[in-house]
Amino acid sequence: MAPAPSAGHGRTESLLVLAAVCLSLLALPFNFTGPAVAMPAIARSLGGDPIALNWITNAFMLCFGSTLMIAGALADTFGRKRLFLIGQLVFLVSSLALTQVRDLLWLDLLRALQGGAGAAAFSAGLAALAQEFDGPARTRAFSLIGTTFGIGLAFGPLLSGWLVEAVGWQAIFLGTAVLAAIALGFGWRFMRESRDPGAAGLDWPGAASFTAALSLLTYAVLLAPEQGWGSAWVIGLLAGAVALGAAFVAIETRAARPMLDLSLFRIPRFVGVQLLAAAPAYSFVVLLILLPLRFVGIEGWGGLGAGWMMMALCGPMLVVPMLAALLTRWVSAGVLCGAGLLVAAGGLVLLAGVPPGGAAAAMAPPLLVIGLGISLPWGLMDALAVSVVPKERAGLAAGIFSTTRVAGEGIALAVVGAILAGFARSWLAGAGLADPAALTLAAQRLAMGDLAQAAATLPQAGPALLVQAYGDAFHDLCFVLAAITVVTAAVVFGFLSRPARAEPALQPAEAAAE
């Protein structure tokens, strides 16, 4: 059943606005998983060391995550439609430019531009949807957002693998450009302009200090695996992030119209939603990058085969988010979200028992369990995010929530990649290989799924030993991720699970927030 619109816009127009936002958001997971599948092909085409290749993903995540909250505030202040169209246009142009690059540095820079543009379209699109739909209709509309992400995550690796093998890695960015162009047309034609009537201009000092603090923090985490946590650069970046974060808090406590109302953090429900935003990072998002690298680089599968296997992980998102929205009529969102995380943790434990080179049939069940578990909170998170503030500040709510989610994902990718490389290095060192510099570089190559370069860097090890080292490191990593996910589930239960109250039934969007 299609969601009904709020007053002031016809049903058909509201549904076409929903289609525009869904098409825009469909490009994001496709643009996230596609380059991971294509990374070996990009490395063969453009070259680059593991750190430079990592920035194909990191540049997008850094700029996307760092600008989401300011994008939400800009949407509320200057117009949701205006910012959505600007974001879509820049995303379209940068995607087309990526098909023409011949240098890895330019590819990384354009990925950063894509990230900023994607943040603008994402925050403005969600804020626009909050104006179009109310009550039960809003819950259904936002559950479609979860399903849209599921479609992109489920079919993105498969389509990307086919495009890489049949056409070339450039076709991935051409595909995202096509989606952006269609979303731009729908948005221009059917989206109505809206803004926060109480907005008095953007809190520029707060916006600048927050964006700079988050950028420095994320960059420090991304740089640490390369230079070490004790390096002067990393320590300086972390110190700068702390100083700017303190400045941001001081600015916001004195601003008449702060970008972030710090009093919101006194509300347990609001805090719980922000913690939930980062929950999928360690149980699901990191696997979107690590698994294609493992399948193609370590297992030796083709891109198409890797894409089919990723369907087991992402396929449940085609259905489960909509079911989760329906279940909130009888079960609180906190219980559903916490239970889903526990199921995902169980899937990670099962995944730990599948070594490289094992049968593909053994890999599918753990991935399916993880996908089923994470799909429960995935369909509820965005509706929860916009339910914790007044409707007029939906852009801010979407920006805060998305910033927490994406910043957490970017940090998780960097940290988990470093952990995997560290486990592989320790295993190789334990096998009697004693060249520290070669061990570190070989471990980094393994974490990137580059078995050939790892073997060239450490020829005395041999491919079989390197694959075993990777398998043992991945096994240990899965248990670390499972432990983090269980702890996160407990925290989500604590903040978002509340006993049912004896009162008239809540609207689904309100029930989801309980």
Side-chain angles (χ1 to χ4, degrees), residues 16-216:
L16 288 170
V17 171
L18 177 60
V21 176
C22 286
L23 284 169
S24 171
L25 299 185
L26 182 62
L28 291 179
F30 181 64
N31 197 53
F32 182 67
T33 59
V37 173
M39 199 172 292
I42 294 174
R44 290 192 297 270
S45 175
L46 303 181
D49 59 35
I51 301 300
L53 290 167
N54 264 330
W55 278 96
I56 296 172
T57 299
N58 292 343
F60 183 89
M61 296 295 294
L62 174 62
C63 290
F64 188 83
S66 298
T67 55
L68 275 166
M69 193 157 73
I70 189 173
L74 283 169
D76 286 341
T77 303
F78 298 111
R80 286 118 186 179
K81 177 178 180 177
R82 177 183 299 175
L83 193 67
F84 178 82
L85 295 180
I86 292 172
Q88 282 301 115
L89 180 61
V90 176
F91 192 91
L92 169 61
V93 172
S94 58
S95 296
L96 291 173
L98 279 163
T99 67
Q100 303 301 314
V101 296
R102 298 294 182 267
D103 180 82
L104 188 59
L105 175 61
W106 276 105
L107 189 146
D108 289 342
L109 291 174
L110 285 169
R111 286 283 286 165
L113 180 62
Q114 255 195 335
F122 183 87
S123 292
L126 292 186
L129 280 188
Q131 314 310 308
E132 293 289 337
F133 300 99
D134 286 316
R138 183 186 292 179
T139 300
R140 292 193 294 271
F142 276 94
S143 68
L144 283 174
I145 297 300
T147 300
T148 298
F149 267 95
I151 293 171
L153 293 173
F155 293 103
L158 180 62
L159 181 58
S160 298
W162 178 80
L163 288 172
V164 170
E165 293 185 1
V167 182
W169 60 264
Q170 294 90 344
I172 292 174
F173 299 112
L174 182 60
T176 62
V178 171
L179 289 172
I182 300 173
L184 180 64
F186 273 57
W188 177 80
R189 176 64 180 84
F190 299 109
M191 190 176 286
R192 58 177 174 171
E193 188 58 277
S194 64
R195 55 177 56 88
D196 180 2
L202 186 65
D203 172 23
W204 287 108
S209 57
F210 176 84
T211 301
L214 185 57
S215 297
L216 291 182

Side-chain angles (χ1 to χ4, degrees), residues 323-381:
L323 294 178
L326 294 175
L327 288 173
T328 57
R329 297 178 180 179
W330 303 284
V331 184
S332 77
V335 170
L336 288 172
C337 293
L341 291 174
L342 291 178
V343 171
L348 286 165
V349 172
L350 294 175
L351 182 61
V354 184
M363 177 68 71
L367 298 186
L368 183 62
V369 172
I370 296 170
L372 286 170
I374 207 63
S375 294
L376 285 172
W378 201 271
L380 302 173
M381 294 192 298

